[in-house]
Each structure stands twice: as C-alpha cells, then as structure tokens.
Amino acid sequence: MYKRVRVVLDNGDVFEGVLIPPTQFSDPDIVVLKLKNGYNVGLKNGRIKEVIELGEVPEAFKAEGPRGERAGGGKIALLATGGTILSRVDYVTGGVYPTLSVDYLFEVLGGLEAEVEAEEVMAKFSEDMTPALWGVLAERVADAFRRGAKGVVVLHGTDTMHYTAAALAFAFAKAPGPIALVGAQRSSDRPSTDAVLNIKAAMAVAARAPFAESVVVMHKTSGDSAIAVHRGTRVRKMHTSRRDAFQSINATPIAEYYPEKDLLQVNTSEYKERDGLEYTSKFEERVALVKFYPGMHPRLLEAMLDVGIRGVVLEGTGFGHVGEYLLPSIKKLVDAGVVVAMTSQTLYGRVNLFVYRRGRELLSLGVVPLEDMLPEAAYAKMSWALANFKQEEVPRVLATPVAYDISPRSDPLTFGAL
C-alpha cells in the first residue's frame, strides 16, 4: 500500500511525497520519496526527526485494471532480460540496479496494448549478454509463439540491444509475429524516463504490425512525439545517453509510432510477413569482432588461433582496408580454416575490395566482403552461420542477404539523416 508522507529532518528541512517501497538493492538506512515534481529523493534514517502520514496515495498513482485493457484476439508475450528499463536508482550509490521483476513495470505503466503474458527470462545488464544467451532467448521467444502469442516484446539493456536484435533476426527465418526489442535510456523511476512510451510503442508493434521481424523500438527524437521501429540488422546505438540514441544505418526505420494519435505507420511494403515458426537457437561463441587501427600488432590476429576462434569480422577503414603488415597474419587465419569477413568502421556506405590494390590483396587471401552490413550485425551473422552451416558454406551464407542485413544499393538520403 502506497502512503503519502511528510518527512521532517533534524535540520528542519521538510519533504513531502509518496513513500517508495524498498527493493532488494536498497540500503535499509535510506528512505526514498517520490516528490510532487516527479523526482525521487533519498533521506538517511538517522537524520529523520519525524514522519507524518498524510493518507493513502490517490488511485491514479497505482496501476489499475488487467494487464492489458485492449485485448483484441491473441496475447502479447513480454520477456524480461534486465537492463535500465527494469531498473531503479539506488540513492545511496547513485548507481542503477535491475529490479528483477516485471511487476514493477506494470506498476509504472498500468493498462497496456493487449493481454500480456509476462516472464522473467534472465536479469542481465546488456554488456553481460553472450551468443549462448541469444540462444536461450531465441528458445523462449519460440516458446511464446508456440503458446499462441501474436507478438513478442523483449525488455533488454540498450548497450548491446542491437547485437541481440540482429541475432534474433538471423535466428528466426519465419515467425507468427514481430519480435520487438525495447529498452530505456533512463530508468523507469525517473521523471525523464523513456520507458513508458517505448514499451507502449513496442506493444503496438507486437499487436498490430503486419511484419514478423526482429526490430528495435526506441525514441525517434529526444522529445515524445514519435518512436522509431528499426530493423534488427540495420540499427545501431549512436549516443551514450540521448533518448533518440538508436538510428537506422544505411536504411530508414521500418515503421514509426506516434503516441498522441496512437498510430503505427509502416514505412515499407518490403518485409517478412507473419507466417509459421521456423528458427534456430544455435550460435557459435568462438567468433571475434576486431577493429583495425594504425599500428595494430599482427600477433593480435594470430593469437586468435590459440583460443580456437572460428570466425573473425574485421572493421576495416574506408572501403574495407587494413595495414599491409597484417596480410601475412590474415593469411595464417584463412589457411587454418578461420572465416575472415570485412566490414567498414565508417558504418555508412559499403565495403568495396575492388577499388584499391589493398582490397584486391585481401580478396586474394579469401577475405569475404560484406557490402553495407553493420559490424555488429556481421558478428551476429557469423556466430549464427558457423553454428548452423558447414564451415565451407559460411562465406557464401555471409555474403547472401538473409534478414535485410545487406541492401542492394546505398541510398544517399540515409546518410546524415539523424
């Protein structure tokens, strides 16, 4: 039961607000209040002189109704993996910690798009995700579809959400509905949180979108006017803290959601339609993503043989180049059966190994050019391909578009359209 209280400190300061229940990460010596302006404040017990109860919190503060007030045939599966969207601020350390509970999210959001079946899959900050955990998540997504979900929403930390989105895009050749990954740049107990609108947009995508693809659903602008729906293989986090940190690269968002109109606008007629269920949950962990830099030591590449790496995605310069001094090391990798592929660290544009001599030298060594595929998507695709195809088939699979990961041409209008 939420209580509104007035707290008087030993120095005479007075704070009035809603008493926030503690989490498993809370310091028992700290009392947290949500103030009228929406901000939270932490008060040390030892400084509290008096606490005056002002009554129960008005009903509007609490989540009401069933988990989904607009159920219209079918349900949405909500799979929680952790991240800022399921976190609260610890006012002792100033750090953000996962709550491990989707119940808290429903407390914040109230009624949602459709009937929701919520499940806590794991509690991980996104930097702790691995290819093995992509496989676990893929299985849980498939289970949700088998139980009749019309769409799946995955709550995920933002820092590596684009890796997971790409992995799921390759994992699901067919799906009965969208797989919408969603996160937050600010935790859900902050007044500036983006969690509420992002989640509601993801629910709208899962329930209404005609496509059945892995997508990332996040703010399109720093304001609340629009939410962008990015293809999982074409999206990247481009800012550490802005609410519109995620951008489609070498592409435009597949859809947009406008909260004020409750409108989901699909921007293309080219997409994977809702279909049956065909997927894999196998990913190879012995894969590396390596950024070339001037003066890079050749032994860094050769050392990958010592740990059994089976595939390497290089982030080359410009059209996809590396220093001449790395060519012998790359040859050693290829000769040992390691699949080596090339992307560009410029992100925009595409790899072309036919323009300069260095590119042709890389081709002659057996390096696979990956056109305009993003490095993170290439890493996920390498992991997926090595786990599901014979080694000799992997170069062909990498160079073949599977989930809109390679576009037939570069659209100049997508550059600089942030």
Side-chain angles (χ1 to χ4, degrees), residues 36 43 49 57 77 121 127 152 163 170-171 173 204 224 234 251 255 276 289 297 326 340 342 384 393 398:
K36 187 176 181 180
L43 305 173
K49 181 179 179 181
V57 176
V121 176
E127 57 266 30
V152 176
Y163 286 88
F170 296 121
D224 294 331
R234 309 306 309 182
L289 175 59
H297 200 290
L326 293 183
V340 180
M342 182 66 71
W384 165 78
E393 296 176 321
L398 290 176

Side-chain angles (χ1 to χ4, degrees), residues 107-127:
E107 248 177 44
V108 174
L109 294 177
L112 293 174
E113 172 76 19
E115 179 187 352
V116 176
E117 181 182 273
E119 180 182 353
E120 295 162 30
V121 176
M122 61 187 80
K124 297 286 184 182
F125 283 131
S126 65
E127 57 266 30

